[in-house]
Amino acid sequence: MLKLTETQIKMLEEIANLHHTPEGAYNIRTNGESAGRASTENIKITSKEDVSGIDIRIKPGTKDETVYIPVVISETGMKEVVYNDFYIGEGADVTIVAGCGIDNCGAHDSEHDGVHRFFVGKNAVCRYVEKHYGSGVGTGKRILNPVTEVYQEENSYMEMEMVQIKGVDDTDRRTVAELAAGAKMVVRERLMTHDDQRAISLYDVKLNGDDSSADVVSRSVARDNSYQKFDATVVGNAACSGHTECDSIIMDKGTILAVPGLEANNVDAELVHEAAIGKIAGDQLMKLMTLGLTEQEAEEQIINGFLK
Amino acid sequence: MLELKNISFSVREDGMTKEIIRNVSMTIPDEKLVVITGPNGGGKSTLARLIAGIEKPTEGKIFLNGEDITEKSITERARMGIGFAFQQPVRFKGIQVLDLIRLATGKHLAVADACEYLSAVGLCAKDYIDREVNSSLSGGELKRIEIATVLAKASVLSVFDEPEAGIDLWSFQNLIQVFEDMRKHIAGSSILVISHQERILNIADEIIVLKDGQLITHGSRDEVLPQLSGDTTAVAGCCRLGGLAELRELKGEDFRC
Ligand SMILES: Nc1ncnc2c1ncn2[C@@H]1O[C@H](COP(=O)(O)OP(=O)(O)O)[C@@H](O)[C@H]1O
Ligand SMILES: [Mg+2]
């Protein structure tokens, strides 16, 4: 059994839906150290020599395995940069559950900057799930600045689900991807900011091979005085298709900036961008109120559904 | 029992006052199914919205079982027992049919129980219970889900605004069944349906005709139905605005619109 505090256990449930030590391969990082690690026949996790972080090597043809690599910070003032590299072998089909939770009860800022690189082999399928969460009553900020690089070989498939619903004060997310022929990338981002939080999400996806495609969709809610920027650029360098979408609900004194970016360098590139920002529709509130909900209850239901 | 007393509703439009409901008084008695009909633009939906509390009257008062609810909010009226199926149901991203039915009942209803409401409106429950109430649903599907939520709410007064709109002929049979069943089990409640459909008018206890924001007629079905089909001006008015076309056909009369 791993040695974890109550708070850390709660965090792991929140970010990775883990209720006990995971089966299969995992690496649980708490306050800058590995609290537990396991490799399997097909998935090897090793520490990096030069910098803080791990290499995750997944053998070609590995099927239906899940790797957990959650990170928890529960010490105030903790700052770390971690480099994780994922090598997903040809034809593998795996799920990677990441996620980072910061509980800051102190006065100093806590920060986790994770640099993830994915090398997705030919015909490989990878589902990546990442949840960010902050808690704690301290005045110190909870800061997360993830950098994700994705390199997809021919006919590979990468699906990324990224969720940040609560408690992260400041986040600056950068995701870059390069796709070879026939590769497909699907991104689903869900974000809610509240109080004085700030969240930036920047994508730069290059579709380099024929028949490659990317679908990047963000749903977000900005409440209170929070600020969000969604900046998604898709570059079509081949006969490819790209779609980005930003669908946002703005509330209170929130600010949302959606920056569409499409660059076509090939006559057969088909690129689409959609963006919509607006407050909760009045008739949605009214419908739920006619069912007996108060206006606040109706708002909560609408937002929960929207971000589900 | 719902009572409207001298209800008027007007809005300001382009600096002018536009009267949409003019001094309407009516009573919806207990255990009666009352149908409001009349030409499009006559103010029927506005009246329903006034009853649900979505709009507030410019003049007049509304009473539910003797209590003045004129100043009550939508939520308060819903909790006092008013249910309302919108003419144009609302779509929600991410909210599932099951969620809406549960919210309507105010309980964490078992899936099987929620499914019964869908079956009641002729939807194959297992195909719809998990669906999102979003733009992937057709107008007719959405309309039936809307009706299901109002059935699930089990109100003292249920108001349905043109439940037949957008519903195909096959499902229409089923819809009539829904209202016939509701009529049968009306004990302790009343039903107000806004409709142009002969077959819904046929199961009404009372019929009200609303035109140009005014109450033209209010009486028992037997009194009002003959007037509707016999009176050429009423029919012409309805034909012009797309209403009662079916009525004309069924009566086998040849009115030229
Ligand atoms: N809030 C409003 N502002 C301006 N005009 C309105 C408003 N609500 C309704 N109306 C107008 O009032 C009339 C009656 O509308 P409605 O109640 O929808 O009629 P019906 O349901 O009988 O077809 C229409 O001409 C409509 O355009
Ligand atoms: Mg109407």
Side-chain angles (χ1 to χ4, degrees):
Chain A
M1 208 35 222
L2 307 173
K3 265 177 57 190
L4 296 169
T5 67
E6 193 92 351
T7 309
Q8 290 170 345
I9 290 169
K10 248 179 57 193
M11 280 286 189
L12 285 175
E13 281 186 5
E14 190 68 48
I15 61 171
N17 208 11
L18 277 178
H19 308 288
H20 46 75
T21 310
E23 282 171 26
Y26 68 89
N27 184 75
I28 297 174
R29 184 183 174 98
T30 56
N31 293 324
E33 280 162 31
S34 180
R37 177 181 300 172
S39 292
T40 62
E41 176 65 31
N42 294 324
I43 303 178
K44 300 283 180 237
I45 302 181
T46 52
S47 295
K48 279 195 183 296
E49 306 278 307
D50 45 347
V51 286
S52 182
I54 49 176
D55 288 326
I56 296 106
R57 292 175 194 279
I58 299 167
K59 270 195 197 159
T62 301
K63 294 282 177 214
D64 301 325
E65 285 198 43
T66 299
V67 196
Y68 289 88
I69 52 150
V71 172
V72 172
I73 295 180
S74 54
E75 243 171 48
T76 186
M78 171 95 205
K79 276 194 185 148
E80 60 178 6
V81 185
V82 178
Y83 298 84
N84 294 338
D85 288 330
F86 302 82
Y87 300 90
I88 300 150
E90 270 188 46
D93 183 343
V94 291
T95 300
I96 298 167
V97 181
C100 181
I102 301 182
D103 183 78
N104 193 348
C105 285
H108 303 287
D109 294 354
S110 296
E111 178 172 337
H112 174 85
D113 299 345
V115 182
H116 287 183
R117 292 194 298 172
F118 294 87
F119 301 91
V120 190
K122 281 184 191 156
N123 301 312
V125 172
C126 177
R127 278 167 302 274
Y128 176 72
V129 185
E130 178 197 270
K131 214 165 153 187
H132 285 170
Y133 178 76
S135 63
V137 292
T139 51
K141 286 192 169 173
R142 296 158 298 230
I143 302 168
L144 287 163
N145 296 324
V147 175
T148 309
E149 294 173 24
V150 182
Y151 302 96
Q152 290 188 240
E153 290 185 24
E154 282 85 20
N155 300 316
S156 62
Y157 175 82
M158 179 79 175
E159 185 181 293
M160 308 179 81
E161 185 188 333
M162 307 204 269
V163 184
Q164 179 179 312
I165 299 296
K166 210 168 166 248
V168 179
D169 294 299
D170 206 298
T171 185
D172 193 338
R173 172 195 295 285
R174 269 146 221 279
T175 307
V176 298
E178 290 181 16
L179 280 71
K184 181 172 182 177
M185 177 183 220
V186 174
V187 177
R188 294 287 176 266
E189 183 185 286
R190 282 171 289 152
L191 172 68
M192 181 158 81
T193 52
H194 51 94
D195 298 305
D196 293 313
Q197 294 173 356
R198 194 184 74 113
I200 292 172
S201 187
L202 206 145
Y203 289 87
D204 188 4
V205 178
K206 291 190 168 57
L207 300 170
N208 295 334
D210 284 348
D211 293 322
S212 60
S213 70
D215 183 25
V216 179
V217 177
S218 166
R219 282 219 178 153
S220 75
V221 177
R223 322 179 76 143
D224 306 321
N225 286 307
S226 62
Y227 172 89
Q228 293 180 6
K229 179 175 173 184
F230 177 75
D231 182 335
T233 303
V234 174
V235 182
N237 293 324
C240 59
S241 64
H243 171 243
T244 69
E245 183 180 331
C246 164
D247 195 350
S248 301
I249 294 178
I250 183 168
M251 299 173 72
D252 312 310
K253 295 202 151 45
T255 299
I256 299 174
L257 177 63
V259 187
L262 301 178
E263 180 183 325
N265 298 314
N266 184 303
V267 72
D268 289 318
E270 284 182 27
L271 308 176
V272 178
H273 176 88
E274 298 173 79
I277 305 173
K279 62 172 186 279
I280 293 176
D283 58 353
Q284 292 184 336
L285 289 171
M286 269 168 215
K287 171 62 193 172
L288 297 187
M289 284 156 74
T290 64
L291 297 180
L293 278 70
T294 63
E295 191 169 346
Q296 285 76 17
E297 288 167 345
E299 256 179 30
E300 288 308 314
Q301 287 292 336
I302 292 163
I303 289 171
N304 288 346
F306 185 70
L307 293 175
K308 194 152 65 186
Chain B
M1 184 173 73
L2 181 85
E3 294 165 275
L4 305 189
K5 291 195 176 156
N6 306 103
I7 292 292
S8 293
F9 178 71
S10 53
V11 291
R12 296 287 295 173
E13 215 176 56
D14 306 326
M16 309 256 287
T17 302
K18 184 175 170 192
E19 277 193 86
I20 296 170
I21 300 293
R22 304 160 191 247
N23 195 26
V24 168
S25 297
M26 64 171 74
T27 298
I28 312 297
D30 287 340
E31 312 200 342
K32 293 276 190 268
L33 191 158
V34 179
V35 176
I36 301 185
T37 192
N40 289 333
K44 302 181 297 299
S45 291
T46 305
L47 200 67
R49 291 162 68 84
L50 285 162
I51 293 169
I54 294 169
E55 304 282 6
K56 290 278 159 71
T58 328
E59 276 172 69
K61 294 216 172 293
I62 305 175
F63 297 86
L64 183 67
N65 293 330
E67 186 177 345
D68 185 349
I69 60 164
T70 320
E71 296 304 320
K72 297 260 191 257
S73 68
I74 306 174
T75 309
E76 286 169 310
R77 294 186 201 198
R79 290 179 180 178
M80 291 173 81
I82 295 181
F84 179 35
F86 288 34
Q87 181 171 2
Q88 266 142 2
V90 185
R91 296 175 201 264
F92 297 88
K93 285 178 185 160
I95 294 184
Q96 289 166 317
V97 173
L98 178 63
D99 300 328
L100 267 194
I101 292 176
R102 281 181 175 160
L103 290 173
T105 58
K107 291 194 284 255
H108 194 77
L109 205 65
V111 175
D113 294 333
C115 283
E116 293 205 358
Y117 296 107
L118 292 178
S119 306
V121 294
L123 290 175
C124 176
K126 72 170 171 23
D127 293 344
Y128 285 92
I129 197 80
D130 287 335
R131 290 277 296 271
E132 280 185 33
V133 190
N134 62 15
S135 46
S136 73
L137 293 168
S138 76
E141 289 168 332
L142 195 65
K143 197 75 187 170
R144 283 191 270 171
I145 289 162
E146 178 76 359
I147 295 165
T149 63
V150 174
L151 291 181
K153 187 173 174 294
S155 301
V156 175
L157 171 72
S158 300
V159 182
F160 297 87
D161 194 353
E162 293 196 28
E164 72 270 18
I167 290 189
D168 55 80
L169 206 65
W170 186 84
S171 319
F172 184 67
Q173 301 297 328
N174 185 273
L175 185 74
I176 298 300
Q177 191 67 47
V178 171
F179 285 97
E180 281 173 351
D181 286 350
M182 282 183 78
R183 177 67 192 84
K184 250 183 238 154
H185 302 106
I186 201 166
S189 67
S190 22
I191 303 166
L192 182 61
V193 188
I194 294 169
S195 178
H196 298 288
Q197 281 296 336
E198 155 105 5
R199 293 193 53 194
I200 291 182
L201 290 163
N202 269 337
I203 57 170
D205 296 296
E206 297 179 8
I207 296 173
I208 293 170
V209 180
L210 201 68
K211 194 182 167 195
D212 298 329
Q214 284 172 306
L215 194 151
I216 304 288
T217 315
H218 182 178
S220 71
R221 177 188 58 214
D222 293 343
E223 286 163 13
V224 181
L225 257 191
Q227 292 179 35
L228 279 181
S229 46
D231 178 346
T232 4
T233 52
V235 171
C238 290
C239 290
R240 188 174 64 241
L241 296 148
L244 293 189
E246 194 208 39
L247 190 89
R248 190 164 35 96
E249 257 173 49
L250 287 169
K251 293 270 174 214
E253 290 164 274
D254 185 23
F255 290 110
R256 306 214 179 269
C257 296

